Amino acid sequence: SPAFMEAIQKARESKAIYEIELEKEKEKKMDNILQDWRDSKERIPNNSSITDTTSTSAMVEENNPIFTHLNHSGEEVSMVDIGEKKITQRTAIAQSSVVFPPEVMEAFVSSQNTTTEMIGPKGPIFATARLAGIMGAKRTSDLIPLCHPLPLSKVNIDINLIDNRVIIQCECRVTHKTGVEMEALTGASIAALTIYDMVKAVSHNVRIESTFLLGKSGGKRNVKEGKSL
């Protein structure tokens, strides 16, 4: 019908506007990162004895260990070269939470009176979120541009309902030259988003919050209970 086609057209226009604004926001964030890099370079002491590119690069890396995805001039982004790193068994665990409002708690009946599953019109909510989280973790390098593609050896997602809060924990493992914290964070985030999608028909007051890295091991810097070791 004409009304339906008009609604589709408006939706397409809204999507186009959103994508343009999103791209502008990304460019703004990247400009801020580049400016921070340039500012930090100005704070590096001028040492006339440093003449070769290798020494200069090492000095920049020592003073700016955070910006490993930027080149030394601060003008371009690139994947970190992990060719010289050692292959080790690496593990990461990330957590995210979804907070349900009362109307969601009233609408969905827990399966077999447990806290490990809720059933909705679309099917089992937590089981669907687990599958989505596993798929998301495996596709991390497709979603986050500077992440390395990794052959994950394990992805495990635990989901539990405590009162009106869903606690999601995603564990990823790999034997490789780089870690899996982004995969764990992506898996937890995608699982949380899927839970939102499964219950949004009842309420849009669902909150996704507190997504963070619980721990990681096997690399140069290890984290336990959210603290660097």
Side-chain angles (χ1 to χ4, degrees):
S1 67
F4 179 70
M5 295 305 296
E6 182 180 355
I8 292 178
Q9 183 61 31
K10 287 183 178 179
R12 288 173 176 170
E13 291 174 356
S14 298
K15 181 181 178 182
I17 293 173
Y18 172 75
E19 290 176 346
I20 291 173
E21 293 299 324
L22 186 62
E23 191 63 31
K24 288 181 179 179
E25 185 65 23
K26 287 181 180 178
E27 292 177 358
K28 182 179 178 181
K29 289 182 179 179
M30 186 56 65
D31 288 342
N32 290 337
I33 291 174
L34 291 173
Q35 187 59 50
D36 289 342
W37 173 269
R38 295 188 185 100
D39 292 343
S40 64
K41 283 179 64 181
E42 293 177 358
R43 293 193 293 270
I44 299 175
N46 184 17
N47 190 336
S48 58
S49 64
I50 299 175
T51 57
D52 62 281
T53 304
T54 303
S55 298
T56 305
S57 299
M59 190 171 186
V60 171
E61 289 177 354
E62 182 179 354
N63 284 272
N64 303 280
I66 297 175
F67 301 108
T68 55
H69 288 293
L70 290 174
N71 66 357
H72 299 302
S73 65
E75 300 295 335
E76 297 178 359
V77 294
S78 63
M79 289 181 69
V80 174
D81 186 355
I82 61 173
E84 300 300 320
K85 289 187 174 183
K86 294 181 180 179
I87 295 176
T88 60
Q89 186 177 50
R90 299 164 184 262
T91 302
I93 303 175
Q95 179 173 304
S96 188
S97 301
V98 182
V99 181
F100 288 152
E103 56 267 30
V104 170
M105 296 297 293
E106 293 172 3
F108 298 106
V109 179
S110 180
S111 175
Q112 300 178 354
N113 295 320
T114 70
T115 60
T116 58
E117 187 56 273
M118 294 179 71
I119 307 298
K122 293 184 178 182
I125 296 171
F126 295 166
T128 305
R130 287 188 188 93
L131 288 176
I134 292 170
M135 293 174 65
K138 294 194 295 183
R139 298 293 296 273
T140 298
S141 63
D142 292 332
L143 299 170
I144 302 176
L146 302 181
C147 284
H148 294 81
L150 295 177
L152 296 176
S153 56
K154 177 182 180 180
V155 181
N156 182 67
I157 295 183
D158 288 326
I159 301 177
N160 288 284
L161 179 65
I162 301 175
D163 296 327
N164 69 324
R165 181 181 294 270
V166 182
I167 304 298
I168 304 162
Q169 289 190 355
C170 176
E171 178 186 8
C172 293
R173 293 183 184 177
V174 71
T175 302
H176 210 275
K177 296 183 177 184
T178 189
V180 285
E181 62 192 275
M182 294 309 302
E183 284 71 16
L185 287 163
T186 299
S189 298
I190 295 298
L193 287 167
T194 301
I195 291 174
Y196 181 97
D197 177 62
M198 297 288 283
V199 303
K200 70 179 187 297
V202 174
S203 175
H204 290 93
N205 293 323
V206 179
R207 298 198 315 274
I208 297 174
E209 57 184 39
S210 301
T211 300
F212 62 98
L213 180 69
L214 272 175
K216 74 184 188 80
S217 61
K220 183 178 180 181
R221 292 179 296 174
N222 294 328
V223 174
K224 185 177 181 180
E225 297 179 354
K227 297 180 180 180
S228 297
L229 300 180

